[in-house]
Amino acid sequence: MNALVINCSPVRTGATAEIVRMVGDDLSRRYNTKCICIDDYDFQFCKGCRTCHTTAACVQHDDVDLLMGELEWADIIVSVSPSYWADIPGRFKAFIDRCTPWCNTHEPHASIQPGKKGYAIALRTGPGMKECERIISSIEHFYGHLEIQCCGSLGLCSMECKEAATHRAPEILAFSAQI
């Protein structure tokens, strides 16, 4: 089985990246595992033209196709997202918007192979879980429209820096063990 762990943050050295590394290392003991960062891909915002609602394809041709290839490859997808003003980072949201051709809300639509399992990890610097729940909800909503089965989530508060992730390693690895 193949596992894909996505750093949904544009930051490659912070707490989100550290969690991606931890989960990726743990999953690699059981699965063929790949870790990617959303910011390593070059793509534009959705134009809102709705052409994909009739063609099942986007008029733009950029790295969204590569990202969708990564999702196609994976049997398990773990999205790790920090809170940017109480929601997912803009770059990750732009990717989700560009996935409209694969969205099950219109016909025709493209699709990825069925049977994929999705997991969400949300982190924020503040102490309250509400923002994490919102991020998890956004990821699960995205998964639902791609027909990826939502199988679990983890919210982590008070995650100021990479070292905070290291201190929470037992909790993160316990979650990863369930994947």
Side-chain angles (χ1 to χ4, degrees), residues 98-112:
R98 288 289 306 284
C99 289
T100 302
W102 293 269
C103 182
N104 65 4
T105 58
H106 58 83
E107 289 295 340
H109 69 273
S111 63
I112 55 176

PDB file of all heavy atoms in Angstrom, residues 98-112:
ATOM      1  N   ARG A  98      -8.902  24.126  -7.155  1.00  0.00           N
ATOM      2  CA  ARG A  98      -8.526  23.622  -8.477  1.00  0.00           C
ATOM      3  C   ARG A  98      -8.904  22.156  -8.670  1.00  0.00           C
ATOM      4  O   ARG A  98      -8.817  21.623  -9.773  1.00  0.00           O
ATOM      5  CB  ARG A  98      -7.028  23.813  -8.700  1.00  0.00           C
ATOM      6  CG  ARG A  98      -6.625  25.262  -8.930  1.00  0.00           C
ATOM      7  CD  ARG A  98      -7.081  25.772 -10.285  1.00  0.00           C
ATOM      8  NE  ARG A  98      -6.625  24.922 -11.373  1.00  0.00           N
ATOM      9  CZ  ARG A  98      -5.388  24.902 -11.851  1.00  0.00           C
ATOM     10  NH1 ARG A  98      -4.455  25.719 -11.373  1.00  0.00           N
ATOM     11  NH2 ARG A  98      -5.075  24.073 -12.842  1.00  0.00           N
ATOM     12  N   CYS A  99      -9.329  21.483  -7.609  1.00  0.00           N
ATOM     13  CA  CYS A  99      -9.758  20.078  -7.719  1.00  0.00           C
ATOM     14  C   CYS A  99     -11.209  19.951  -8.171  1.00  0.00           C
ATOM     15  O   CYS A  99     -11.749  18.844  -8.244  1.00  0.00           O
ATOM     16  CB  CYS A  99      -9.556  19.359  -6.386  1.00  0.00           C
ATOM     17  SG  CYS A  99      -7.818  19.072  -6.017  1.00  0.00           S
ATOM     18  N   THR A 100     -11.843  21.042  -8.529  1.00  0.00           N
ATOM     19  CA  THR A 100     -13.239  21.003  -8.967  1.00  0.00           C
ATOM     20  C   THR A 100     -13.481  20.018 -10.114  1.00  0.00           C
ATOM     21  O   THR A 100     -14.516  19.348 -10.123  1.00  0.00           O
ATOM     22  CB  THR A 100     -13.729  22.419  -9.319  1.00  0.00           C
ATOM     23  OG1 THR A 100     -13.574  23.249  -8.162  1.00  0.00           O
ATOM     24  CG2 THR A 100     -15.187  22.420  -9.732  1.00  0.00           C
ATOM     25  N   PRO A 101     -12.565  19.837 -11.069  1.00  0.00           N
ATOM     26  CA  PRO A 101     -12.828  18.842 -12.115  1.00  0.00           C
ATOM     27  C   PRO A 101     -13.038  17.420 -11.565  1.00  0.00           C
ATOM     28  O   PRO A 101     -13.714  16.616 -12.191  1.00  0.00           O
ATOM     29  CB  PRO A 101     -11.579  18.902 -12.993  1.00  0.00           C
ATOM     30  CG  PRO A 101     -11.070  20.295 -12.821  1.00  0.00           C
ATOM     31  CD  PRO A 101     -11.346  20.617 -11.374  1.00  0.00           C
ATOM     32  N   TRP A 102     -12.477  17.129 -10.399  1.00  0.00           N
ATOM     33  CA  TRP A 102     -12.599  15.801  -9.787  1.00  0.00           C
ATOM     34  C   TRP A 102     -13.713  15.754  -8.747  1.00  0.00           C
ATOM     35  O   TRP A 102     -13.942  14.724  -8.128  1.00  0.00           O
ATOM     36  CB  TRP A 102     -11.277  15.400  -9.133  1.00  0.00           C
ATOM     37  CG  TRP A 102     -10.181  15.183 -10.115  1.00  0.00           C
ATOM     38  CD1 TRP A 102      -9.851  14.000 -10.707  1.00  0.00           C
ATOM     39  CD2 TRP A 102      -9.266  16.150 -10.626  1.00  0.00           C
ATOM     40  NE1 TRP A 102      -8.792  14.173 -11.557  1.00  0.00           N
ATOM     41  CE2 TRP A 102      -8.409  15.482 -11.529  1.00  0.00           C
ATOM     42  CE3 TRP A 102      -9.077  17.512 -10.415  1.00  0.00           C
ATOM     43  CZ2 TRP A 102      -7.388  16.144 -12.211  1.00  0.00           C
ATOM     44  CZ3 TRP A 102      -8.061  18.160 -11.098  1.00  0.00           C
ATOM     45  CH2 TRP A 102      -7.240  17.480 -11.987  1.00  0.00           C
ATOM     46  N   CYS A 103     -14.414  16.845  -8.571  1.00  0.00           N
ATOM     47  CA  CYS A 103     -15.434  16.974  -7.530  1.00  0.00           C
ATOM     48  C   CYS A 103     -16.723  16.250  -7.928  1.00  0.00           C
ATOM     49  O   CYS A 103     -17.213  16.410  -9.043  1.00  0.00           O
ATOM     50  CB  CYS A 103     -15.707  18.453  -7.299  1.00  0.00           C
ATOM     51  SG  CYS A 103     -16.887  18.798  -6.015  1.00  0.00           S
ATOM     52  N   ASN A 104     -17.285  15.507  -7.009  1.00  0.00           N
ATOM     53  CA  ASN A 104     -18.474  14.705  -7.301  1.00  0.00           C
ATOM     54  C   ASN A 104     -19.787  15.485  -7.258  1.00  0.00           C
ATOM     55  O   ASN A 104     -20.854  14.887  -7.252  1.00  0.00           O
ATOM     56  CB  ASN A 104     -18.547  13.501  -6.366  1.00  0.00           C
ATOM     57  CG  ASN A 104     -18.737  13.891  -4.911  1.00  0.00           C
ATOM     58  OD1 ASN A 104     -18.890  15.059  -4.574  1.00  0.00           O
ATOM     59  ND2 ASN A 104     -18.715  12.893  -4.045  1.00  0.00           N
ATOM     60  N   THR A 105     -19.719  16.799  -7.294  1.00  0.00           N
ATOM     61  CA  THR A 105     -20.944  17.604  -7.235  1.00  0.00           C
ATOM     62  C   THR A 105     -21.502  17.950  -8.607  1.00  0.00           C
ATOM     63  O   THR A 105     -22.522  18.625  -8.708  1.00  0.00           O
ATOM     64  CB  THR A 105     -20.714  18.906  -6.446  1.00  0.00           C
ATOM     65  OG1 THR A 105     -19.662  19.636  -7.070  1.00  0.00           O
ATOM     66  CG2 THR A 105     -20.371  18.618  -5.004  1.00  0.00           C
ATOM     67  N   HIS A 106     -20.832  17.530  -9.659  1.00  0.00           N
ATOM     68  CA  HIS A 106     -21.319  17.809 -11.018  1.00  0.00           C
ATOM     69  C   HIS A 106     -20.958  16.641 -11.927  1.00  0.00           C
ATOM     70  O   HIS A 106     -20.064  15.859 -11.641  1.00  0.00           O
ATOM     71  CB  HIS A 106     -20.744  19.130 -11.556  1.00  0.00           C
ATOM     72  CG  HIS A 106     -19.243  19.162 -11.583  1.00  0.00           C
ATOM     73  ND1 HIS A 106     -18.507  18.617 -12.606  1.00  0.00           N
ATOM     74  CD2 HIS A 106     -18.346  19.649 -10.695  1.00  0.00           C
ATOM     75  CE1 HIS A 106     -17.216  18.774 -12.361  1.00  0.00           C
ATOM     76  NE2 HIS A 106     -17.088  19.397 -11.196  1.00  0.00           N
ATOM     77  N   GLU A 107     -21.682  16.533 -13.003  1.00  0.00           N
ATOM     78  CA  GLU A 107     -21.399  15.510 -14.023  1.00  0.00           C
ATOM     79  C   GLU A 107     -21.213  16.202 -15.357  1.00  0.00           C
ATOM     80  O   GLU A 107     -21.979  17.113 -15.671  1.00  0.00           O
ATOM     81  CB  GLU A 107     -22.552  14.505 -14.109  1.00  0.00           C
ATOM     82  CG  GLU A 107     -22.669  13.587 -12.916  1.00  0.00           C
ATOM     83  CD  GLU A 107     -21.486  12.639 -12.741  1.00  0.00           C
ATOM     84  OE1 GLU A 107     -20.731  12.400 -13.706  1.00  0.00           O
ATOM     85  OE2 GLU A 107     -21.307  12.160 -11.618  1.00  0.00           O
ATOM     86  N   PRO A 108     -20.272  15.823 -16.152  1.00  0.00           N
ATOM     87  CA  PRO A 108     -19.309  14.774 -15.842  1.00  0.00           C
ATOM     88  C   PRO A 108     -18.238  15.297 -14.884  1.00  0.00           C
ATOM     89  O   PRO A 108     -18.050  16.509 -14.752  1.00  0.00           O
ATOM     90  CB  PRO A 108     -18.700  14.455 -17.201  1.00  0.00           C
ATOM     91  CG  PRO A 108     -18.746  15.761 -17.937  1.00  0.00           C
ATOM     92  CD  PRO A 108     -20.027  16.417 -17.466  1.00  0.00           C
ATOM     93  N   HIS A 109     -17.541  14.395 -14.209  1.00  0.00           N
ATOM     94  CA  HIS A 109     -16.379  14.788 -13.429  1.00  0.00           C
ATOM     95  C   HIS A 109     -15.304  13.715 -13.543  1.00  0.00           C
ATOM     96  O   HIS A 109     -15.606  12.546 -13.761  1.00  0.00           O
ATOM     97  CB  HIS A 109     -16.746  15.066 -11.966  1.00  0.00           C
ATOM     98  CG  HIS A 109     -17.134  13.855 -11.172  1.00  0.00           C
ATOM     99  ND1 HIS A 109     -18.417  13.366 -11.138  1.00  0.00           N
ATOM    100  CD2 HIS A 109     -16.409  13.020 -10.389  1.00  0.00           C
ATOM    101  CE1 HIS A 109     -18.469  12.299 -10.351  1.00  0.00           C
ATOM    102  NE2 HIS A 109     -17.263  12.058  -9.887  1.00  0.00           N
ATOM    103  N   ALA A 110     -14.070  14.168 -13.460  1.00  0.00           N
ATOM    104  CA  ALA A 110     -12.947  13.237 -13.429  1.00  0.00           C
ATOM    105  C   ALA A 110     -12.982  12.547 -12.069  1.00  0.00           C
ATOM    106  O   ALA A 110     -13.750  12.947 -11.176  1.00  0.00           O
ATOM    107  CB  ALA A 110     -11.642  14.002 -13.614  1.00  0.00           C
ATOM    108  N   SER A 111     -12.191  11.525 -11.892  1.00  0.00           N
ATOM    109  CA  SER A 111     -12.160  10.875 -10.578  1.00  0.00           C
ATOM    110  C   SER A 111     -10.819  10.201 -10.366  1.00  0.00           C
ATOM    111  O   SER A 111     -10.081   9.938 -11.316  1.00  0.00           O
ATOM    112  CB  SER A 111     -13.286   9.851 -10.459  1.00  0.00           C
ATOM    113  OG  SER A 111     -13.124   8.818 -11.409  1.00  0.00           O
ATOM    114  N   ILE A 112     -10.522   9.988  -9.103  1.00  0.00           N
ATOM    115  CA  ILE A 112      -9.369   9.181  -8.746  1.00  0.00           C
ATOM    116  C   ILE A 112      -9.906   7.810  -8.357  1.00  0.00           C
ATOM    117  O   ILE A 112     -11.104   7.657  -8.115  1.00  0.00           O
ATOM    118  CB  ILE A 112      -8.542   9.827  -7.614  1.00  0.00           C
ATOM    119  CG1 ILE A 112      -9.401  10.128  -6.383  1.00  0.00           C
ATOM    120  CG2 ILE A 112      -7.860  11.093  -8.110  1.00  0.00           C
ATOM    121  CD1 ILE A 112      -8.630  10.684  -5.205  1.00  0.00           C
TER     122      ILE A 112
END
